[in-house]
Each structure stands twice: as structure tokens, then as C-alpha cells.
Amino acid sequence: MAFSEAVSCGSSLLWPRLLLFGDSITQFSFQQGGWGASLADKLVRKCDVLNRGFSGYNTRWAKIILPRLIRKGNSLDSPVAVTIFFGSNDSALKDENPKQHIPLEEYVANLKSMVQYLKSVDIPESRVILITPPPLCETAWEKECIIQGCKLNRLNSVVGEYASACLQVAQDCGTDVLDLWTLMQKDSQDFSSYLSDGLHLSPKGNEFLFSHLWPLLEKTTSSLPLLLPYWRDVVEAKPELSLLGDGDH
């Protein structure tokens, strides 16, 4: 599908699509003030933003379900861009959270596998953005763990190892990458305000992510036209002339 214009299919108009693939930080991104909601607002009438976030998932499970989300040969399944945002669950401590934990080497292999799969279904590396997990505020997250009846099951230093691995995968595969873990801790700043519970993003954290992700996405979405004409441009006497064209206005 050529993304410089909308695609007409009979009387239907197929919107370009942006796929957000990740764990709970993606799933919750359509809540009020969420980074996904901000993207949808930014791209309204230009691109559908699809939330494919799965709370609690790791890259082992993500790799399995990705082919169910995007298939080859269907223009609807060929998004203008895909974000891959995993690591917060993969980096859980094995002894305390064995179900979600994924060994670092497998995390790397799973990310590479997903990028390669997207390439195999005609989504090039230039349309893929990897996002590292954000830093973990251990004090706040430990309180959540205690409420859930368990011990602290993540460490920020370990999350950092997975973030570094994500950066290396992006370099090896030739994709863009957003290094949240480093950016949120830049100059040793207090990053706790970016997190709602030590792990998930607060409103400020959502705004931070969006502000750094948008410049990366803008490269692949800047050429998208406004779909269907501005209302003042509709031919009043015969609106069909304006509304039943190819949608590129």
C-alpha cells in the first residue's frame, strides 16, 4: 500500500495504520492523557492508531502472537510504522517472578525475531521503532509488590541491562529506538514522577514518552494527507465530486 495517499477499495476508504505492540504500558496508553491517545489525536484523519498492548506479556509470548496481528499480502496489515515496546516484564527477577522472566539472551533473540518477521511481511526496518523499558522506581514498586503479597520482583539495574540489549538489537537490525531508560534518568534526575506505581507511566511519563516518540514517527507519517476534504472545500452544489474521490485532500 502506498502511504502517500489513501487507498480506495470500491466505495471503501482504507485508512493507513500505525501499530503499537507491547505490554501493559502500551495497553494502558489509550487512557486519558496516554501516549497512544496523544498519537491518535495527532494523526486523526490521517492514520488509525491501533493499540495492541497486552498486559503482563513478555517477548516470548509476543513473538508467538505477532503473526496473528500482521499477515503478508493484506494492505490492512501493512502499517506505516510499528512500535515494539517490551522489557518491563522480561526483566522481572527469575527467582521472584519466573512466569514473566525471560533470560537476557532470549530477550535479544525474541526482539530480533520480531523485527525479522516484520521484514518478511514487507515492513522494512525503517518503519520499526523499538522502545526500551522505562527505569524502575524500586521503592514505589516494592510497595505494590507487598500489596500483592510478594517480594520486590524487579531491580532497576537489571531493567537497565535489558534496555541496553534493546539498544543493541536496534543497532544490529537497523531500526530506530527510543531509549526511555536512559532519557528518564538523564543527569541523575529523579525519575519517580514519570511513574505511577514505580513501573507504569504517570501522566507526566506518558507526556515524556510521546514527546520523544513523535519525532521518530513523524518521519514515516509526515507525508500522510488529511483524508477527505476540509469541510469548506466540499463542493456545495454536488458534494459527491469532493467526497467520492480517492480521499487524498
Side-chain angles (χ1 to χ4, degrees):
M1 181 163 115
F3 296 114
S4 59
E5 59 182 0
V7 176
S8 296
C9 182
S11 60
S12 299
L13 199 58
L14 305 183
W15 251 238
R17 298 181 175 204
L18 164 62
L19 183 74
L20 310 181
F21 186 41
D23 53 32
S24 59
I25 302 178
T26 296
Q27 179 175 322
F28 301 158
S29 71
F30 271 28
Q31 295 177 349
Q32 184 174 1
W35 61 275
S38 295
L39 287 174
D41 181 59
K42 191 80 171 178
L43 292 167
V44 68
R45 282 185 62 181
K46 292 186 175 184
C47 179
D48 282 342
V49 179
L50 302 183
N51 186 330
R52 296 295 181 265
F54 300 88
S55 180
Y57 276 45
N58 55 35
T59 55
R60 183 182 295 167
W61 303 343
K63 181 181 71 171
I64 294 171
I65 65 172
L66 183 58
R68 301 188 68 187
L69 304 179
I70 301 177
R71 296 161 299 168
K72 189 171 184 176
N74 186 339
S75 61
L76 286 175
D77 290 332
S78 185
V80 295
V82 177
T83 61
I84 299 177
F85 189 4
F86 289 95
S88 291
N89 296 318
D90 296 69
S91 60
L93 302 177
K94 182 178 180 180
D95 290 343
E96 299 299 336
N97 189 349
K99 184 166 186 175
Q100 291 179 304
H101 168 79
I102 298 296
L104 188 62
E105 297 78 11
E106 184 185 344
Y107 173 71
V108 168
N110 291 341
L111 286 179
K112 288 183 176 181
S113 176
M114 286 188 275
V115 173
Q116 289 303 313
Y117 173 76
L118 292 175
K119 187 176 180 180
S120 76
V121 295
D122 301 327
I123 300 171
E125 299 91 333
S126 59
R127 282 197 244 152
V128 179
I129 301 173
L130 300 183
I131 305 175
T132 76
L136 178 83
C137 180
E138 294 172 12
T139 304
W141 185 243
E142 185 172 24
K143 293 178 181 177
E144 293 295 319
C145 291
I146 292 172
I147 291 173
Q148 297 169 20
C150 60
K151 298 178 181 179
L152 178 65
N153 56 23
R154 289 164 171 82
L155 294 173
N156 190 40
S157 60
V158 176
V159 178
E161 295 174 6
Y162 285 71
S164 295
C166 181
L167 291 176
Q168 187 61 52
V169 170
Q171 182 176 329
D172 293 345
C173 294
T175 71
D176 276 331
V177 64
L178 174 55
D179 185 3
L180 271 188
W181 191 84
T182 298
L183 287 171
M184 285 186 169
Q185 299 179 92
K186 191 175 181 180
D187 300 324
S188 300
Q189 66 176 316
D190 179 10
F191 60 86
S192 61
S193 62
Y194 292 130
L195 305 168
S196 61
D197 56 6
L199 175 67
H200 302 96
L201 299 180
S202 66
K204 184 178 178 180
N206 275 280
E207 183 179 353
F208 183 93
L209 195 163
F210 171 75
S211 69
H212 286 82
L213 179 60
W214 175 246
L216 299 178
L217 282 170
E218 193 171 18
K219 293 185 294 184
T220 56
T221 60
S222 60
S223 64
L224 295 176
L226 186 69
L227 295 175
L228 295 175
Y230 179 58
W231 71 272
R232 292 188 185 277
D233 297 331
V234 175
V235 178
E236 185 176 355
K238 196 170 183 182
E240 293 86 354
L241 293 175
S242 305
L243 303 178
L244 295 181
D246 64 7
D248 188 1
H249 297 280

